[in-house]
Amino acid sequence: MAQQSNDVYAALALSRFGLGADHNGTTSIASDPRGALLEEITERFVPVPVGPQLQSTADLLVSLYAFQEQRKQARQQAAVAAAAAPQDKLMQGPEQPQKPSAQPSGTTPNSQAMAAQPNNQAMAAAIGKAVEKLEKPAMPYLPQQVLLAEVDARFNGTIRQPLIGFGERLAMFWANHFAVAVSKSEEVHIVAGAFEREAIRPHVFGRFADMLFAVETHPAMLAYLDNQQSIGPNSKANANKKRGLNENLARETLELHTLGVNGGYTQTDVTTLARIITGWTVARAEGRLGTPGTFVFNAGAHEPGDQTLLGLTYADNGVGQGREALRDLARHPATAQHIATKLVRHFVADTPPPGLVQTVAATFSKTDGDLSAVYRALVGSEDAWNPTLSKVRSPLEFMTALLRASGETPKPNVILGALTAMGQPFWAPAGPNGFADTADVWASSEGLSMRMDVANMIANAVPPQVDPRSFVSDSLGPLLSNETLQAVSRAETRKQGLTIAYLSPEFQRR
């Protein structure tokens, strides 16, 4: 493929590999765009989300345990208060006889008597109202507060910092590869951001094996895929033989995180890996197994004995058995092929060029999963720089590019609402396979209609001095088509011109 001009490389570096152009447009890296991209890899630049509520996983879970206990006590107090009310009335002495009142149609004296008993629907409703009244003013929902702080730290923080933003894009890619969903439980809800900060970002430019172990042992992943419920069938904790394996984490580790669905494993391998990682759990509030809120190995719940996975035998040496199994999964040729395919599909084309996939996979294997080397192989190929914009930006990428280009800083709840409306609720995929990465999912008429609403919202907030024609030229550079420039120029209002620019094919694609 023929080489392009630096202007084209600059536009592609920002849109395809980065977060989109900021207010400086494409000129900020135009002198050496590919060099600027390589520099972000060399410097291993991944912005760090910051904020007072962005605490460690352990601290967040300890806060959650305290919140849950406080809520439990509040409910108990409200129930006691509501149940005590009829008793106070009874202690006032017998009521004077009264003339019977007319009974509603279909009501009998017996049903009226039943309705007067404390254990009925009316009492339950009264208790519920009392709990609601007690909780609302004093107890904002802690997991959502933390999630909003995490959102703010990224969309009004980390996406604004880099010149290109390859590291930030990679953090998004890997967080989707190792997906968790805040809708799973309060534990996942409150630590999904910490999971990304602790298990993903530190390893984006490191070794895949290190990221894999950090992910699979993180409390967010253990909770999301129910490994705390997995008990070795022959372990001490299962002496009564009433519990057993939960294979969720083992299955997704093989199918999604490493080998891929066609990676050559069997159901027997899933069961074996599930046995290997029994005992991988999270210390609860009481701290019986370790520091509350941290990953711990519970030897009493671990399946004893050596285990054979994909033809390799792993000695029963506690948590080391699982660590060694994950290390070998990270080095497996099928893992190299799976990761290479996903990376090329994400950054280059929905149908990944086979030659580029093989180049990236070979680098992955040769370097023992050195991700920096893998990325260099990806961006070093001319196949990655085809000027045809074949990828459709996901709602997350579109929102990021919008905020970078406009400079607007919406409140985090507005950002969450916009992402949900466009079909990609933040850190809340429908399953552990994460969100799709192809145009057929994101280019639907309904999805584009929602994007129009979001584009209008941002365009309406942009300062009046912004000229849509200058904006679209600066942001898209040589990727801008004459058709789009004419459409923007013919807009009846400034807001309409900006909206057309945001919804143009060159802005929607990368």
Side-chain angles (χ1 to χ4, degrees):
M1 185 175 298
Q3 289 195 342
Q4 308 297 323
S5 68
N6 272 354
D7 287 343
V8 172
Y9 284 138
L12 291 173
L14 287 164
S15 66
R16 182 167 297 167
F17 299 106
L19 302 167
D22 61 12
H23 65 282
N24 294 309
T26 62
T27 57
S28 57
I29 61 169
S31 62
D32 185 13
R34 295 180 69 162
L37 183 60
L38 287 170
E39 186 177 359
E40 289 197 352
I41 299 174
T42 301
E43 293 182 353
R44 301 184 170 218
F45 181 55
V46 185
V48 178
V50 295
Q53 289 184 285
L54 274 60
Q55 302 171 3
S56 70
T57 291
D59 288 342
L60 288 170
L61 286 176
V62 168
S63 296
L64 176 65
Y65 300 151
F67 169 82
Q68 290 171 332
E69 180 61 28
Q70 183 183 3
R71 182 178 59 193
K72 177 183 175 181
Q73 293 179 3
R75 286 174 173 167
Q76 290 173 344
Q77 292 170 6
V80 169
Q87 299 299 323
D88 293 342
K89 201 168 185 179
L90 288 173
M91 293 177 68
Q92 294 175 3
E95 293 184 0
Q96 296 298 317
Q98 296 180 0
K99 182 179 178 179
S101 59
Q103 297 175 9
S105 176
T107 305
T108 65
N110 282 341
S111 66
Q112 282 189 319
M114 290 174 64
Q117 298 302 314
N119 297 322
N120 59 57
Q121 292 181 353
M123 179 58 70
I127 293 173
K129 287 182 180 179
V131 171
E132 185 179 9
K133 183 178 179 181
L134 188 63
E135 287 182 346
K136 270 191 174 179
M139 299 181 66
Y141 189 50
L142 180 62
Q144 185 66 6
Q145 285 186 306
V146 173
L147 177 62
L148 289 171
E150 299 278 8
V151 169
D152 193 50
R154 286 159 182 79
F155 289 93
N156 293 323
T158 57
I159 72 161
R160 320 276 178 160
Q161 296 173 20
L163 206 56
I164 298 174
F166 189 44
E168 188 72 12
R169 276 284 303 283
L170 287 165
M172 295 175 182
F173 168 82
W174 288 114
N176 191 58
H177 177 78
F178 294 112
V180 300
V182 296
S183 55
K184 167 71 176 186
S185 65
E186 291 188 328
E187 285 77 9
V188 181
H189 195 157
I190 200 170
V191 300
F195 166 70
E196 188 247 33
R197 286 185 280 112
E198 297 167 354
I200 302 294
R201 287 179 182 265
H203 304 289
V204 159
F205 290 108
R207 293 195 177 276
F208 178 75
D210 295 334
M211 185 188 294
L212 180 66
F213 185 75
V215 163
E216 310 301 4
T217 57
H218 195 278
M221 187 62 74
L222 295 170
Y224 178 54
L225 292 176
D226 306 306
N227 208 65
Q228 295 147 293
Q229 302 172 19
S230 190
I231 306 296
N234 300 301
S235 66
K236 293 179 182 178
N238 199 36
N240 59 11
K241 303 300 179 182
K242 291 184 178 180
R243 296 186 288 178
L245 296 175
N246 185 305
E247 297 182 348
N248 288 354
L249 180 57
R251 178 174 293 104
E252 308 310 349
T253 297
L254 294 170
E255 178 179 329
L256 301 176
H257 301 168
T258 57
L259 306 181
V261 67
N262 297 314
Y265 65 91
T266 66
Q267 176 56 40
T268 299
D269 293 314
V270 173
T271 302
T272 299
L273 183 57
R275 291 195 187 104
I276 288 174
I277 60 176
T278 48
W280 288 24
T281 189
V282 181
R284 295 290 301 175
E286 67 279 359
R288 183 174 58 85
L289 295 174
T291 303
T294 63
F295 165 74
V296 291
F297 177 71
N298 181 5
H302 181 66
E303 177 68 8
D306 298 349
Q307 303 290 341
T308 300
L309 174 69
L310 294 167
L312 297 175
T313 300
Y314 299 93
D316 182 8
N317 60 347
V319 72
Q321 188 178 46
R323 184 192 295 272
E324 291 164 13
L326 289 181
R327 177 201 61 200
D328 289 337
L329 286 173
R331 292 172 170 170
H332 198 284
T335 298
Q337 189 73 18
H338 180 52
I339 298 302
T341 301
K342 288 195 69 173
L343 277 168
V344 177
R345 179 184 295 121
H346 178 75
F347 284 102
V348 180
D350 288 356
T351 302
L356 181 54
V357 171
Q358 293 310 314
T359 297
V360 174
T363 303
F364 187 102
S365 296
K366 182 180 179 180
T367 62
D368 196 19
D370 180 345
L371 294 178
S372 290
V374 168
Y375 307 144
R376 286 193 188 94
L378 172 66
V379 304
S381 170
E382 290 302 322
D383 287 343
W385 296 90
N386 189 325
T388 302
L389 304 178
S390 62
K391 294 289 298 182
V392 173
R393 276 176 165 152
S394 69
L396 175 60
E397 294 163 1
F398 175 58
M399 193 75 200
T400 299
L402 263 183
L403 298 183
R404 287 256 300 182
S406 66
E408 291 304 304
T409 56
K411 292 185 180 299
N413 60 323
V414 173
I415 295 170
L416 283 182
L419 289 171
T420 300
M422 290 188 289
Q424 194 177 12
F426 195 60
W427 292 337
N433 56 336
F435 291 104
D437 203 12
T438 51
D440 59 318
V441 176
W442 302 124
S444 68
S445 57
E446 182 182 358
L448 293 176
S449 174
M450 291 299 103
R451 291 187 188 216
M452 185 179 297
D453 291 340
V454 174
N456 273 318
M457 175 186 72
I458 298 298
N460 198 47
V462 170
Q465 62 267 29
V466 175
D467 184 320
R469 293 164 298 184
S470 299
F471 163 79
V472 75
S473 297
D474 294 342
S475 295
L476 300 177
L479 302 181
L480 176 63
S481 67
N482 289 330
E483 292 79 6
T484 295
L485 181 58
Q486 289 177 11
V488 171
S489 300
R490 292 170 181 168
E492 296 180 1
T493 65
R494 188 186 62 86
K495 174 187 172 183
Q496 186 184 67
L498 286 171
T499 301
I500 291 172
Y502 297 151
L503 296 174
S504 67
E506 302 93 316
F507 199 92
Q508 292 293 318
R509 291 180 173 271
R510 55 174 180 80

mmCIF file of all heavy atoms in Angstrom, residues 238-279:
data_model
loop_
_atom_site.group_PDB
_atom_site.id
_atom_site.type_symbol
_atom_site.label_atom_id
_atom_site.label_comp_id
_atom_site.label_asym_id
_atom_site.label_seq_id
_atom_site.Cartn_x
_atom_site.Cartn_y
_atom_site.Cartn_z
ATOM 1 N N ASN A 238 -16.456 -28.569 51.537
ATOM 2 C CA ASN A 238 -17.589 -29.312 50.971
ATOM 3 C C ASN A 238 -17.734 -30.679 51.631
ATOM 4 O O ASN A 238 -18.116 -31.656 50.971
ATOM 5 C CB ASN A 238 -17.409 -29.471 49.454
ATOM 6 C CG ASN A 238 -18.710 -29.809 48.750
ATOM 7 O OD1 ASN A 238 -19.775 -29.322 49.135
ATOM 8 N ND2 ASN A 238 -18.635 -30.642 47.729
ATOM 9 N N ALA A 239 -17.476 -30.717 52.917
ATOM 10 C CA ALA A 239 -17.543 -31.994 53.624
ATOM 11 C C ALA A 239 -18.931 -32.623 53.552
ATOM 12 O O ALA A 239 -19.071 -33.853 53.540
ATOM 13 C CB ALA A 239 -17.128 -31.796 55.089
ATOM 14 N N ASN A 240 -19.950 -31.779 53.508
ATOM 15 C CA ASN A 240 -21.315 -32.316 53.446
ATOM 16 C C ASN A 240 -21.749 -32.655 52.024
ATOM 17 O O ASN A 240 -22.878 -33.112 51.805
ATOM 18 C CB ASN A 240 -22.314 -31.335 54.064
ATOM 19 C CG ASN A 240 -22.302 -29.975 53.371
ATOM 20 O OD1 ASN A 240 -21.707 -29.813 52.302
ATOM 21 N ND2 ASN A 240 -22.966 -28.986 53.973
ATOM 22 N N LYS A 241 -20.869 -32.392 51.030
ATOM 23 C CA LYS A 241 -21.118 -32.720 49.620
ATOM 24 C C LYS A 241 -22.359 -32.031 49.043
ATOM 25 O O LYS A 241 -22.968 -32.522 48.106
ATOM 26 C CB LYS A 241 -21.251 -34.236 49.433
ATOM 27 C CG LYS A 241 -20.053 -35.039 49.904
ATOM 28 C CD LYS A 241 -18.778 -34.629 49.152
ATOM 29 C CE LYS A 241 -17.563 -35.424 49.648
ATOM 30 N NZ LYS A 241 -16.308 -35.010 48.974
ATOM 31 N N LYS A 242 -22.729 -30.880 49.588
ATOM 32 C CA LYS A 242 -23.909 -30.173 49.098
ATOM 33 C C LYS A 242 -23.570 -29.047 48.126
ATOM 34 O O LYS A 242 -24.454 -28.464 47.517
ATOM 35 C CB LYS A 242 -24.704 -29.600 50.277
ATOM 36 C CG LYS A 242 -25.368 -30.667 51.140
ATOM 37 C CD LYS A 242 -26.220 -30.037 52.227
ATOM 38 C CE LYS A 242 -26.929 -31.109 53.057
ATOM 39 N NZ LYS A 242 -27.773 -30.501 54.131
ATOM 40 N N ARG A 243 -22.290 -28.712 48.002
ATOM 41 C CA ARG A 243 -21.896 -27.644 47.086
ATOM 42 C C ARG A 243 -20.922 -28.180 46.050
ATOM 43 O O ARG A 243 -20.502 -29.329 46.103
ATOM 44 C CB ARG A 243 -21.283 -26.473 47.861
ATOM 45 C CG ARG A 243 -22.266 -25.802 48.814
ATOM 46 C CD ARG A 243 -21.672 -24.560 49.442
ATOM 47 N NE ARG A 243 -20.658 -24.867 50.433
ATOM 48 C CZ ARG A 243 -19.967 -23.944 51.099
ATOM 49 N NH1 ARG A 243 -20.169 -22.654 50.837
ATOM 50 N NH2 ARG A 243 -19.072 -24.290 51.993
ATOM 51 N N GLY A 244 -20.569 -27.324 45.082
ATOM 52 C CA GLY A 244 -19.667 -27.804 44.042
ATOM 53 C C GLY A 244 -19.095 -26.681 43.218
ATOM 54 O O GLY A 244 -19.073 -25.515 43.633
ATOM 55 N N LEU A 245 -18.646 -27.013 42.011
ATOM 56 C CA LEU A 245 -17.969 -26.058 41.152
ATOM 57 C C LEU A 245 -18.933 -25.053 40.532
ATOM 58 O O LEU A 245 -20.085 -25.378 40.238
ATOM 59 C CB LEU A 245 -17.258 -26.789 40.006
ATOM 60 C CG LEU A 245 -16.116 -27.741 40.364
ATOM 61 C CD1 LEU A 245 -15.633 -28.435 39.106
ATOM 62 C CD2 LEU A 245 -14.973 -26.988 41.027
ATOM 63 N N ASN A 246 -18.447 -23.839 40.329
ATOM 64 C CA ASN A 246 -19.080 -22.872 39.452
ATOM 65 C C ASN A 246 -18.063 -22.616 38.337
ATOM 66 O O ASN A 246 -16.963 -22.141 38.596
ATOM 67 C CB ASN A 246 -19.415 -21.571 40.176
ATOM 68 C CG ASN A 246 -20.180 -20.599 39.307
ATOM 69 O OD1 ASN A 246 -19.729 -20.244 38.213
ATOM 70 N ND2 ASN A 246 -21.341 -20.163 39.757
ATOM 71 N N GLU A 247 -18.436 -22.927 37.108
ATOM 72 C CA GLU A 247 -17.483 -22.903 36.002
ATOM 73 C C GLU A 247 -17.455 -21.587 35.229
ATOM 74 O O GLU A 247 -16.758 -21.481 34.207
ATOM 75 C CB GLU A 247 -17.790 -24.061 35.033
ATOM 76 C CG GLU A 247 -17.622 -25.431 35.665
ATOM 77 C CD GLU A 247 -17.880 -26.565 34.675
ATOM 78 O OE1 GLU A 247 -18.410 -26.280 33.568
ATOM 79 O OE2 GLU A 247 -17.555 -27.722 35.000
ATOM 80 N N ASN A 248 -18.179 -20.590 35.688
ATOM 81 C CA ASN A 248 -18.294 -19.345 34.913
ATOM 82 C C ASN A 248 -16.942 -18.709 34.603
ATOM 83 O O ASN A 248 -16.635 -18.383 33.451
ATOM 84 C CB ASN A 248 -19.167 -18.328 35.655
ATOM 85 C CG ASN A 248 -20.631 -18.697 35.643
ATOM 86 O OD1 ASN A 248 -21.028 -19.658 34.999
ATOM 87 N ND2 ASN A 248 -21.446 -17.937 36.354
ATOM 88 N N LEU A 249 -16.131 -18.498 35.630
ATOM 89 C CA LEU A 249 -14.849 -17.813 35.423
ATOM 90 C C LEU A 249 -13.926 -18.663 34.557
ATOM 91 O O LEU A 249 -13.239 -18.143 33.666
ATOM 92 C CB LEU A 249 -14.189 -17.488 36.758
ATOM 93 C CG LEU A 249 -12.839 -16.763 36.683
ATOM 94 C CD1 LEU A 249 -12.963 -15.459 35.908
ATOM 95 C CD2 LEU A 249 -12.286 -16.491 38.079
ATOM 96 N N ALA A 250 -13.906 -19.954 34.793
ATOM 97 C CA ALA A 250 -13.044 -20.844 34.007
ATOM 98 C C ALA A 250 -13.449 -20.820 32.535
ATOM 99 O O ALA A 250 -12.592 -20.730 31.636
ATOM 100 C CB ALA A 250 -13.119 -22.267 34.557
ATOM 101 N N ARG A 251 -14.747 -20.898 32.269
ATOM 102 C CA ARG A 251 -15.221 -20.927 30.882
ATOM 103 C C ARG A 251 -14.875 -19.631 30.145
ATOM 104 O O ARG A 251 -14.381 -19.659 29.010
ATOM 105 C CB ARG A 251 -16.725 -21.172 30.841
ATOM 106 C CG ARG A 251 -17.318 -21.167 29.424
ATOM 107 C CD ARG A 251 -18.778 -21.544 29.416
ATOM 108 N NE ARG A 251 -18.975 -22.939 29.795
ATOM 109 C CZ ARG A 251 -19.413 -23.348 30.984
ATOM 110 N NH1 ARG A 251 -19.707 -22.456 31.926
ATOM 111 N NH2 ARG A 251 -19.546 -24.624 31.250
ATOM 112 N N GLU A 252 -15.130 -18.500 30.788
ATOM 113 C CA GLU A 252 -14.866 -17.223 30.114
ATOM 114 C C GLU A 252 -13.376 -16.940 29.997
ATOM 115 O O GLU A 252 -12.945 -16.273 29.050
ATOM 116 C CB GLU A 252 -15.582 -16.085 30.832
ATOM 117 C CG GLU A 252 -17.078 -16.289 31.079
ATOM 118 C CD GLU A 252 -17.876 -16.724 29.853
ATOM 119 O OE1 GLU A 252 -17.348 -16.692 28.726
ATOM 120 O OE2 GLU A 252 -19.040 -17.114 30.024
ATOM 121 N N THR A 253 -12.585 -17.448 30.922
ATOM 122 C CA THR A 253 -11.139 -17.305 30.808
ATOM 123 C C THR A 253 -10.641 -17.986 29.542
ATOM 124 O O THR A 253 -9.807 -17.435 28.807
ATOM 125 C CB THR A 253 -10.432 -17.892 32.039
ATOM 126 O OG1 THR A 253 -10.814 -17.159 33.206
ATOM 127 C CG2 THR A 253 -8.914 -17.830 31.891
ATOM 128 N N LEU A 254 -11.164 -19.172 29.264
ATOM 129 C CA LEU A 254 -10.751 -19.903 28.072
ATOM 130 C C LEU A 254 -11.383 -19.344 26.797
ATOM 131 O O LEU A 254 -10.704 -19.107 25.805
ATOM 132 C CB LEU A 254 -11.116 -21.382 28.220
ATOM 133 C CG LEU A 254 -10.372 -22.162 29.304
ATOM 134 C CD1 LEU A 254 -10.991 -23.539 29.500
ATOM 135 C CD2 LEU A 254 -8.897 -22.307 28.947
ATOM 136 N N GLU A 255 -12.695 -19.127 26.841
ATOM 137 C CA GLU A 255 -13.432 -18.763 25.631
ATOM 138 C C GLU A 255 -13.234 -17.316 25.214
ATOM 139 O O GLU A 255 -13.137 -17.013 24.022
ATOM 140 C CB GLU A 255 -14.924 -19.022 25.848
ATOM 141 C CG GLU A 255 -15.803 -18.639 24.670
ATOM 142 C CD GLU A 255 -17.268 -18.925 24.916
ATOM 143 O OE1 GLU A 255 -17.574 -19.882 25.653
ATOM 144 O OE2 GLU A 255 -18.117 -18.182 24.384
ATOM 145 N N LEU A 256 -13.180 -16.407 26.191
ATOM 146 C CA LEU A 256 -13.143 -14.978 25.885
ATOM 147 C C LEU A 256 -11.796 -14.329 26.154
ATOM 148 O O LEU A 256 -11.344 -13.482 25.388
ATOM 149 C CB LEU A 256 -14.220 -14.249 26.687
ATOM 150 C CG LEU A 256 -15.667 -14.700 26.461
ATOM 151 C CD1 LEU A 256 -16.593 -13.937 27.394
ATOM 152 C CD2 LEU A 256 -16.072 -14.492 25.008
ATOM 153 N N HIS A 257 -11.164 -14.685 27.251
ATOM 154 C CA HIS A 257 -9.977 -13.959 27.698
ATOM 155 C C HIS A 257 -8.672 -14.455 27.080
ATOM 156 O O HIS A 257 -7.722 -13.682 26.950
ATOM 157 C CB HIS A 257 -9.862 -14.011 29.217
ATOM 158 C CG HIS A 257 -11.043 -13.421 29.933
ATOM 159 N ND1 HIS A 257 -11.257 -13.582 31.293
ATOM 160 C CD2 HIS A 257 -12.070 -12.673 29.480
ATOM 161 C CE1 HIS A 257 -12.375 -12.952 31.629
ATOM 162 N NE2 HIS A 257 -12.871 -12.399 30.547
ATOM 163 N N THR A 258 -8.613 -15.762 26.717
ATOM 164 C CA THR A 258 -7.342 -16.309 26.224
ATOM 165 C C THR A 258 -7.505 -17.014 24.877
ATOM 166 O O THR A 258 -7.345 -16.409 23.834
ATOM 167 C CB THR A 258 -6.705 -17.262 27.259
ATOM 168 O OG1 THR A 258 -7.628 -18.324 27.586
ATOM 169 C CG2 THR A 258 -6.350 -16.513 28.537
ATOM 170 N N LEU A 259 -7.857 -18.279 24.866
ATOM 171 C CA LEU A 259 -7.789 -19.105 23.657
ATOM 172 C C LEU A 259 -8.782 -18.705 22.578
ATOM 173 O O LEU A 259 -8.511 -18.857 21.387
ATOM 174 C CB LEU A 259 -8.016 -20.576 24.016
ATOM 175 C CG LEU A 259 -7.111 -21.177 25.099
ATOM 176 C CD1 LEU A 259 -7.461 -22.647 25.306
ATOM 177 C CD2 LEU A 259 -5.647 -21.031 24.721
ATOM 178 N N GLY A 260 -9.950 -18.253 22.967
ATOM 179 C CA GLY A 260 -11.001 -17.967 22.002
ATOM 180 C C GLY A 260 -11.914 -19.163 21.826
ATOM 181 O O GLY A 260 -11.573 -20.298 22.173
ATOM 182 N N VAL A 261 -13.091 -18.923 21.263
ATOM 183 C CA VAL A 261 -14.114 -19.960 21.177
ATOM 184 C C VAL A 261 -13.653 -21.152 20.355
ATOM 185 O O VAL A 261 -14.089 -22.286 20.597
ATOM 186 C CB VAL A 261 -15.426 -19.360 20.611
ATOM 187 C CG1 VAL A 261 -15.255 -18.945 19.164
ATOM 188 C CG2 VAL A 261 -16.586 -20.330 20.774
ATOM 189 N N ASN A 262 -12.766 -20.946 19.402
ATOM 190 C CA ASN A 262 -12.240 -22.040 18.581
ATOM 191 C C ASN A 262 -10.800 -22.363 18.949
ATOM 192 O O ASN A 262 -10.013 -22.795 18.108
ATOM 193 C CB ASN A 262 -12.333 -21.678 17.094
ATOM 194 C CG ASN A 262 -13.767 -21.478 16.640
ATOM 195 O OD1 ASN A 262 -14.646 -22.287 16.958
ATOM 196 N ND2 ASN A 262 -14.010 -20.403 15.902
ATOM 197 N N GLY A 263 -10.466 -22.185 20.205
ATOM 198 C CA GLY A 263 -9.078 -22.320 20.650
ATOM 199 C C GLY A 263 -8.614 -23.717 20.974
ATOM 200 O O GLY A 263 -7.478 -23.902 21.427
ATOM 201 N N GLY A 264 -9.461 -24.726 20.771
ATOM 202 C CA GLY A 264 -9.014 -26.105 20.948
ATOM 203 C C GLY A 264 -9.234 -26.702 22.319
ATOM 204 O O GLY A 264 -8.785 -27.830 22.579
ATOM 205 N N TYR A 265 -9.932 -26.033 23.200
ATOM 206 C CA TYR A 265 -10.199 -26.600 24.525
ATOM 207 C C TYR A 265 -11.513 -27.389 24.493
ATOM 208 O O TYR A 265 -12.314 -27.258 23.556
ATOM 209 C CB TYR A 265 -10.273 -25.496 25.586
ATOM 210 C CG TYR A 265 -11.434 -24.540 25.410
ATOM 211 C CD1 TYR A 265 -12.657 -24.772 26.021
ATOM 212 C CD2 TYR A 265 -11.304 -23.399 24.610
ATOM 213 C CE1 TYR A 265 -13.718 -23.903 25.841
ATOM 214 C CE2 TYR A 265 -12.363 -22.528 24.428
ATOM 215 C CZ TYR A 265 -13.567 -22.791 25.048
ATOM 216 O OH TYR A 265 -14.631 -21.946 24.866
ATOM 217 N N THR A 266 -11.720 -28.194 25.519
ATOM 218 C CA THR A 266 -12.924 -29.009 25.639
ATOM 219 C C THR A 266 -13.643 -28.687 26.940
ATOM 220 O O THR A 266 -13.116 -27.959 27.789
ATOM 221 C CB THR A 266 -12.584 -30.509 25.623
ATOM 222 O OG1 THR A 266 -11.824 -30.811 26.822
ATOM 223 C CG2 THR A 266 -11.756 -30.872 24.398
ATOM 224 N N GLN A 267 -14.824 -29.278 27.110
ATOM 225 C CA GLN A 267 -15.552 -29.102 28.364
ATOM 226 C C GLN A 267 -14.751 -29.650 29.544
ATOM 227 O O GLN A 267 -14.795 -29.113 30.647
ATOM 228 C CB GLN A 267 -16.919 -29.788 28.294
ATOM 229 C CG GLN A 267 -17.713 -29.742 29.597
ATOM 230 C CD GLN A 267 -17.926 -28.345 30.121
ATOM 231 O OE1 GLN A 267 -18.194 -27.415 29.351
ATOM 232 N NE2 GLN A 267 -17.795 -28.152 31.440
ATOM 233 N N THR A 268 -13.996 -30.692 29.296
ATOM 234 C CA THR A 268 -13.139 -31.240 30.360
ATOM 235 C C THR A 268 -12.123 -30.201 30.813
ATOM 236 O O THR A 268 -11.835 -30.072 32.019
ATOM 237 C CB THR A 268 -12.410 -32.497 29.856
ATOM 238 O OG1 THR A 268 -13.383 -33.491 29.497
ATOM 239 C CG2 THR A 268 -11.482 -33.062 30.928
ATOM 240 N N ASP A 269 -11.573 -29.441 29.872
ATOM 241 C CA ASP A 269 -10.619 -28.387 30.232
ATOM 242 C C ASP A 269 -11.296 -27.282 31.050
ATOM 243 O O ASP A 269 -10.691 -26.733 31.978
ATOM 244 C CB ASP A 269 -10.001 -27.781 28.967
ATOM 245 C CG ASP A 269 -9.113 -28.759 28.221
ATOM 246 O OD1 ASP A 269 -8.302 -29.432 28.874
ATOM 247 O OD2 ASP A 269 -9.254 -28.853 26.990
ATOM 248 N N VAL A 270 -12.545 -26.946 30.698
ATOM 249 C CA VAL A 270 -13.284 -25.954 31.481
ATOM 250 C C VAL A 270 -13.421 -26.420 32.917
ATOM 251 O O VAL A 270 -13.156 -25.674 33.873
ATOM 252 C CB VAL A 270 -14.674 -25.691 30.859
ATOM 253 C CG1 VAL A 270 -15.504 -24.779 31.773
ATOM 254 C CG2 VAL A 270 -14.544 -25.063 29.484
ATOM 255 N N THR A 271 -13.843 -27.672 33.093
ATOM 256 C CA THR A 271 -14.027 -28.219 34.448
ATOM 257 C C THR A 271 -12.703 -28.272 35.198
ATOM 258 O O THR A 271 -12.635 -27.959 36.399
ATOM 259 C CB THR A 271 -14.649 -29.615 34.367
ATOM 260 O OG1 THR A 271 -15.905 -29.544 33.667
ATOM 261 C CG2 THR A 271 -14.895 -30.192 35.762
ATOM 262 N N THR A 272 -11.654 -28.656 34.493
ATOM 263 C CA THR A 272 -10.336 -28.724 35.146
ATOM 264 C C THR A 272 -9.874 -27.350 35.609
ATOM 265 O O THR A 272 -9.390 -27.203 36.747
ATOM 266 C CB THR A 272 -9.298 -29.323 34.175
ATOM 267 O OG1 THR A 272 -9.686 -30.649 33.822
ATOM 268 C CG2 THR A 272 -7.916 -29.353 34.824
ATOM 269 N N LEU A 273 -9.999 -26.341 34.749
ATOM 270 C CA LEU A 273 -9.593 -24.997 35.162
ATOM 271 C C LEU A 273 -10.451 -24.511 36.320
ATOM 272 O O LEU A 273 -9.950 -23.834 37.228
ATOM 273 C CB LEU A 273 -9.682 -24.032 33.981
ATOM 274 C CG LEU A 273 -9.224 -22.600 34.263
ATOM 275 C CD1 LEU A 273 -7.786 -22.561 34.785
ATOM 276 C CD2 LEU A 273 -9.349 -21.724 33.013
ATOM 277 N N ALA A 274 -11.728 -24.852 36.310
ATOM 278 C CA ALA A 274 -12.595 -24.466 37.427
ATOM 279 C C ALA A 274 -12.095 -25.083 38.733
ATOM 280 O O ALA A 274 -12.123 -24.433 39.793
ATOM 281 C CB ALA A 274 -14.031 -24.903 37.155
ATOM 282 N N ARG A 275 -11.648 -26.344 38.668
ATOM 283 C CA ARG A 275 -11.080 -26.980 39.871
ATOM 284 C C ARG A 275 -9.800 -26.260 40.311
ATOM 285 O O ARG A 275 -9.573 -26.051 41.505
ATOM 286 C CB ARG A 275 -10.758 -28.457 39.589
ATOM 287 C CG ARG A 275 -11.970 -29.359 39.390
ATOM 288 C CD ARG A 275 -11.543 -30.813 39.480
ATOM 289 N NE ARG A 275 -12.624 -31.711 39.147
ATOM 290 C CZ ARG A 275 -12.739 -32.372 38.004
ATOM 291 N NH1 ARG A 275 -11.810 -32.208 37.057
ATOM 292 N NH2 ARG A 275 -13.754 -33.188 37.786
ATOM 293 N N ILE A 276 -8.969 -25.888 39.326
ATOM 294 C CA ILE A 276 -7.683 -25.250 39.640
ATOM 295 C C ILE A 276 -7.879 -23.932 40.387
ATOM 296 O O ILE A 276 -7.091 -23.597 41.292
ATOM 297 C CB ILE A 276 -6.889 -25.024 38.336
ATOM 298 C CG1 ILE A 276 -6.369 -26.360 37.795
ATOM 299 C CG2 ILE A 276 -5.733 -24.055 38.551
ATOM 300 C CD1 ILE A 276 -5.702 -26.266 36.430
ATOM 301 N N ILE A 277 -8.908 -23.178 40.021
ATOM 302 C CA ILE A 277 -9.093 -21.851 40.626
ATOM 303 C C ILE A 277 -10.132 -21.851 41.741
ATOM 304 O O ILE A 277 -10.568 -20.780 42.174
ATOM 305 C CB ILE A 277 -9.445 -20.790 39.556
ATOM 306 C CG1 ILE A 277 -10.730 -21.146 38.814
ATOM 307 C CG2 ILE A 277 -8.283 -20.593 38.601
ATOM 308 C CD1 ILE A 277 -11.174 -20.083 37.819
ATOM 309 N N THR A 278 -10.532 -23.019 42.234
ATOM 310 C CA THR A 278 -11.348 -23.024 43.451
ATOM 311 C C THR A 278 -10.519 -22.453 44.595
ATOM 312 O O THR A 278 -9.308 -22.626 44.647
ATOM 313 C CB THR A 278 -11.806 -24.455 43.810
ATOM 314 O OG1 THR A 278 -10.676 -25.350 43.742
ATOM 315 C CG2 THR A 278 -12.907 -24.937 42.892
ATOM 316 N N GLY A 279 -11.203 -21.750 45.477
ATOM 317 C CA GLY A 279 -10.510 -21.096 46.586
ATOM 318 C C GLY A 279 -10.104 -19.672 46.285
ATOM 319 O O GLY A 279 -9.684 -18.938 47.188
#
